[in-house]
Amino acid sequence: MRTPFDAALQERLMRYAAIDSQSDETSDSQPSTAIQLDVSRMLVDELTAMGARDVTLTEYGVVLATVPGTAPGPTIGFCSHVDTAPAFCATGVKPRVHRAYDGTPIRFPDAPDLELSPETVPYLGEKIGCDIVTASGATLLGADDKAGIAIIVTMAEHLLHTPGLAHGPVRLAFTPDEEIGRGVDPRLPADFAVDFAYTLDGSKPGEIEYESFSADGAEVVITGVSIHTGWAKGKLVNALHLAAKVVEMLPQATMTPETTEGRDGFWHVYEMSGTAAEARIKLILRDFELGGLAAKGAMLHAVCDALAATEPRAGIACTIRPQYRNMRYWLEDDMTPVDLARAACRDAGIEPVSTAIRGGTDGSRLTEMGVPCPNIFTGQQEIHGPLEWISVQDMALATRVCLELVQRAARSE
Ligand SMILES: [Zn+2]
């Protein structure tokens, strides 16, 4: 069951996962947290030691490196993110290996009631005999996306240390702040300097994704009329009441994340704050099609306008700003990177599958900025929570796919 890459992948994932590198949406600094650079600096040292060229940590916090080509071919980039999700505790991660997994429920030392079982997670049942990595129950694991980093670094090591392996130039990029949507600095496309690239941030073996959501962020600011409650009759306009009405007037049974799947988009309120005098509602809008995304924005505006009409003394300001766009819009003009990854999957003995990502990746932004960038699987499962797990052998498959890909690209030159 063990493959030649297993030991290196497992060691790297465990080492990277143990470092807290959580990003923080509320921070204005770049990167959002300085601890992310602990991983970045470790990568600089590791890549330098293994003989990678041009190893740099840019002033915007991205580690870049080159594996020089041994044959003519396009310059291909591989990208993953050093941060872990702010959604769950990521401090003090203690990765554990369940060697040659036996199919029984996995228990966690730091959360006795928690159980990871093939009964509730059927894919785990397919991994009997594989080496499974989990956290200890108190934290997420951070295989999202330290599995991606481990795969890319292990691929680079193999390319650098295997004489006679024909491939074009390979560029590596390790970004901060992907989880908070700030991974792609405007300077990155030029500094990356690739013909096309791949994020390694997907899930099951065979997944080659080239569709993401199109995404907008929205904020509604409601200004009421504040006055002493003892003399408020006929004068007070309570901003919090109006904020509650905005949410209440939006469709909740059909168009929220908890009621949609597949290719359906949604609106989602993720933060409400304020006082009777002023209230703020923060939302995200998601759809695979720009028309559907615009319709959700129009719906939000209509709700705000309708409410404003019932209470002209209040101020209701709704602003919508673009976040990222479905990468399919660009990739379908030239499917070469997608077709190459699919062919590389078959070379590695896996049937490729393409599903639409109900989210975005750094690749969504990169693609929009002129660097075509589909997403390749890593094996990461149950991400952003304490049940997060990954099979080392799935990571090894992803490493194989990347190696087949760069060789195939050089052959077709
Ligand atoms: Zn990720």
Side-chain angles (χ1 to χ4, degrees):
M1 213 64 187
R2 300 281 283 182
T3 75
F5 298 119
D6 290 2
L9 289 165
Q10 179 182 312
E11 186 276 325
R12 288 199 168 103
L13 174 65
M14 308 272 285
R15 182 156 46 88
Y16 304 152
I19 306 167
D20 182 0
S21 58
Q22 196 171 42
S23 51
D24 176 6
E25 198 200 23
T26 65
S27 159
D28 289 329
S29 50
Q30 188 187 34
S32 68
T33 55
I35 51 175
Q36 293 179 70
L37 295 174
D38 295 342
V39 177
S40 313
R41 291 193 197 97
M42 175 189 280
L43 290 171
V44 167
D45 293 343
E46 192 169 348
L47 292 164
T48 306
M50 72 173 58
R53 304 282 173 79
D54 317 321
V55 184
T56 43
L57 176 55
T58 68
E59 64 182 85
Y60 49 94
V62 175
V63 177
L64 294 169
T66 304
V67 176
T70 60
T75 301
I76 302 178
F78 292 88
C79 179
S80 55
H81 60 93
V82 302
D83 64 321
T84 53
F88 197 76
C89 176
T91 306
V93 177
K94 291 182 271 179
R96 304 166 70 226
V97 183
H98 309 264
R99 185 79 201 270
Y101 174 59
D102 64 3
T104 59
I106 291 176
R107 298 245 166 228
F108 296 85
D110 295 336
D113 294 337
L114 202 63
E115 188 181 276
L116 176 65
S117 156
E119 230 163 79
T120 46
V121 181
Y123 184 59
L124 181 63
E126 297 175 28
K127 297 286 119 182
I128 292 173
C130 294
D131 303 318
I132 304 299
V133 183
T134 65
S136 62
T139 66
L140 48 69
L141 172 63
D144 175 13
D145 191 17
K146 284 158 181 172
I149 306 176
I151 291 161
I152 293 172
V153 174
T154 303
M155 169 198 67
E157 183 178 50
H158 187 76
L159 292 177
L160 287 162
H161 296 171
T162 311
L165 198 155
H167 62 88
V170 171
R171 290 276 285 160
L172 319 180
F174 302 103
T175 56
D177 291 332
E178 190 269 356
E179 295 285 1
I180 58 170
R182 289 168 17 195
V184 180
D185 187 275
R187 290 165 280 186
L188 181 58
D191 292 346
F192 204 7
V194 296
D195 293 305
F196 51 89
Y198 301 90
T199 49
L200 273 116
D201 204 7
S203 183
K204 280 189 190 166
E207 283 180 1
I208 304 297
E209 295 159 320
Y210 64 98
E211 266 217 85
S212 59
F213 268 144
S214 284
D216 284 351
E219 185 172 37
V220 179
V221 179
I222 301 166
T223 315
V225 177
S226 180
I227 192 162
H228 188 290
T229 46
W231 291 268
K233 188 171 183 191
K235 294 177 186 146
L236 174 76
V237 179
N238 191 324
L240 291 170
H241 287 206
L242 295 174
K245 278 184 189 156
V246 169
V247 176
E248 199 52 44
M249 286 162 76
L250 288 164
Q252 311 203 347
T254 56
M255 215 188 279
T256 54
E258 58 270 40
T259 58
T260 49
E261 60 183 348
R263 295 192 65 85
D264 291 330
F266 56 74
W267 66 275
H268 172 62
V269 54
Y270 69 95
E271 192 178 317
M272 287 176 75
S273 60
T275 62
E278 187 185 86
R280 270 163 208 277
I281 311 169
K282 292 187 181 178
L283 311 97
I284 56 172
L285 310 176
R286 299 288 185 263
D287 205 284
F288 286 105
E289 303 305 332
L290 286 177
L293 187 66
K296 285 173 182 64
M299 175 184 75
L300 179 61
H301 277 300
V303 162
C304 290
D305 292 348
L307 191 63
T310 68
E311 184 45 272
R313 293 172 297 169
I316 301 179
C318 175
T319 44
I320 295 175
R321 66 194 151 71
Q323 290 178 319
Y324 56 85
R325 293 292 176 255
N326 188 341
M327 52 189 166
R328 187 197 79 215
Y329 295 135
W330 292 269
L331 286 168
E332 66 190 357
D333 288 341
D334 180 3
M335 289 289 275
T336 306
V338 176
D339 292 338
L340 188 58
R342 286 172 167 163
C345 276
R346 293 196 184 95
D347 292 342
I350 329 162
E351 194 49 35
V353 284
S354 294
T355 51
I357 311 170
R358 291 181 64 80
T361 63
D362 278 343
S364 312
R365 291 285 295 129
L366 279 168
T367 301
E368 193 179 346
M369 292 159 87
V371 183
C373 191
N375 188 35
I376 295 178
F377 69 92
T378 63
Q380 53 180 263
Q381 306 291 329
E382 268 65 54
I383 57 172
H384 296 197
L387 294 177
E388 188 178 6
W389 64 278
I390 191 164
S391 152
V392 173
Q393 284 70 32
D394 282 359
M395 293 169 65
L397 271 176
T399 311
R400 280 273 316 280
V401 168
C402 294
L403 288 166
E404 296 289 355
L405 193 158
V406 295
Q407 294 175 83
R408 177 175 268 277
R411 280 200 303 275
S412 58
E413 194 62 14

